[in-house]
Amino acid sequence: MAQQGKPANRMMLFVAIILIAALGLGTLYFFVLTPGDPDSNTMQRPQQGTLEQHTR
């Protein structure tokens, strides 16, 4: 009867390892591989006066 729990424990370990690896890859992508900084000056912003020209 002790043999029945062993495969289940190994399967749970396998699933846990895959979950941890997926979370690690997601974190790596989000913080390291995401291009650009949303607060940087490279973002294109409308020039002064362009909004007033299009709304008249």
Side-chain angles (χ1 to χ4, degrees):
M1 293 229 167
Q3 294 289 340
Q4 288 179 344
K6 202 170 194 179
N9 287 340
R10 290 183 188 224
M11 186 59 145
M12 289 300 289
L13 178 65
F14 178 73
V15 170
I17 289 172
I18 289 179
L19 181 63
I20 291 169
L23 288 173
L25 286 173
T27 303
L28 177 74
Y29 175 77
F30 187 76
F31 289 109
V32 177
L33 301 175
T34 304
D37 182 14
D39 295 328
S40 69
N41 292 328
T42 59
M43 289 180 59
Q44 292 182 348
R45 295 192 173 104
Q47 294 179 354
Q48 187 67 22
T50 56
L51 184 61
E52 292 88 16
Q53 292 173 358
H54 292 293
T55 55
R56 291 183 184 178

